[in-house]
């Protein structure tokens, strides 16, 4: 006779968040099927309050959160909290899912938050949760992003200089004066 496993997995609360620059809409599907909707501001305190409120409301549940991005301040704020399962959703996948239910193609934040939560509930087993990078990896990613931004600024400045030279001193371009700028930018891109 085999022993039955008496431990059951905790119930899951599915949370869909439609992110925006200043305010994020959310849709919660509770373990019993009840739903909650609302929004919270884009600030570290508001994100922490949202997570704390969910944890206090569902102390024994697993919190599964889906969002249409894998980076940015909201993701960083959510990753600060241990025990959350964050699922980045591909925007193209959600757009197809939206088309299946909203034939007009209309898009609104509360409606998208609901679709994201439903998508997560139905396809969680196919999605990979986002993992928090190690501190050195996060620091390196920030430095690489800063470097990319600086190289882009330098490229824009070089292009602006060439446009001005073309407008006021086109003969200097024939002498190769602007090529030094191109060579330097190419060297930066190869690093």
């Amino acid at each position: 006779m085999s022993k039955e496993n008496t431990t059951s997995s905790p119930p899951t609360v599915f949370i869909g968040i439609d992110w925006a620059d200043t305010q994020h809409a959310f849709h919660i599907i509770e373990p019993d099927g009840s739903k909650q909707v609302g929004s919270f501001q884009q600030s570290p305190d508001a994100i922490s309050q949202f997570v704390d409120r969910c944890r206090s409301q569902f102390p024994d549940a697993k919190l599964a959160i889906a969002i249409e991005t894998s980076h940015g301040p909201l993701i960083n704020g959510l990753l600060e909290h241990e025990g959350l399962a964050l699922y980045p959703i591909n925007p193209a996948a959600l757009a197809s899912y939206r088309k299946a239910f909203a034939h007009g193609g209309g898009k609104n934040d509360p409606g998208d938050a609901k679709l994201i939560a439903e998508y997560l509930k139905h396809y969680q087993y196919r999605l990979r949760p986002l993992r928090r990078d190690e501190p050195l990896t996060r620091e390196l990613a920030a430095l690489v992003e800063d470097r990319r931004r600086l190289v882009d600024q330098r490229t824009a400045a070089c292009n602006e200089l060439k446009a001005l030279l073309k407008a006021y001193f086109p003969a200097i371009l024939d002498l190769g004066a602007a090529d030094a700028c191109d060579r330097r930018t190419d060297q930066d891109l190869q690093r």
Side-chain angles (χ1 to χ4, degrees):
M1 204 175 237
S2 65
K3 278 187 169 179
E4 283 189 34
N5 187 357
T6 57
T7 59
S8 62
S9 61
T12 301
V13 174
F14 297 98
I15 303 169
I17 299 177
D18 188 56
W19 68 276
D21 289 337
T22 58
Q23 189 158 325
H24 311 297
F26 68 84
H27 186 93
I28 298 173
I29 302 173
E30 298 177 21
D32 67 0
S34 301
K35 297 178 175 48
Q36 293 182 35
V37 297
S39 64
F40 58 93
Q41 295 294 317
Q42 171 51 50
S43 74
D45 288 340
I47 294 168
S48 289
Q49 288 171 5
F50 173 73
V51 171
D52 291 344
R53 189 171 63 242
C54 289
R55 281 193 172 140
S56 67
Q57 196 171 5
F58 309 105
D60 298 326
K62 173 185 169 189
L63 298 179
I65 300 174
I67 187 168
E68 266 188 291
T69 186
S70 60
H71 60 281
L74 176 58
I75 291 291
N76 292 338
L78 291 170
L79 284 173
E80 291 295 319
H81 300 274
E82 295 290 326
L84 298 179
L86 294 178
Y87 295 90
I89 305 295
N90 183 326
L94 192 65
S96 295
Y97 192 71
R98 183 186 304 112
K99 283 181 188 177
F101 300 103
H103 301 293
K107 182 175 174 356
N108 65 53
D109 294 347
D112 271 0
K114 179 182 178 186
L115 281 176
I116 293 168
E118 290 172 350
Y119 187 89
L120 176 62
K121 182 176 180 180
H122 295 293
Y123 298 109
Q124 178 188 15
Y125 66 95
R126 290 185 163 198
L127 302 172
R128 287 191 1 221
L130 193 61
R131 303 265 185 247
R132 183 171 172 81
D133 290 330
E134 296 295 321
L136 284 176
T137 305
R138 290 195 311 270
E139 183 179 352
L140 179 61
L143 291 171
V144 167
E145 190 174 318
D146 287 344
R147 183 185 176 284
R148 173 78 265 158
R149 184 181 43 77
L150 291 171
V151 169
D152 289 346
Q153 286 176 350
R154 173 192 237 140
T155 302
C158 284
N159 290 339
E160 187 176 348
L161 174 63
K162 283 198 281 188
L164 287 171
L165 288 173
K166 192 181 288 185
Y168 294 105
F169 304 106
I172 202 163
L173 293 174
D174 293 336
L175 298 173
D179 292 341
C181 192
D182 285 337
R183 279 193 305 276
R184 184 67 185 153
T185 301
D186 288 342
Q187 290 171 357
D188 286 337
L189 292 174
Q190 291 174 0
R191 284 191 214 165

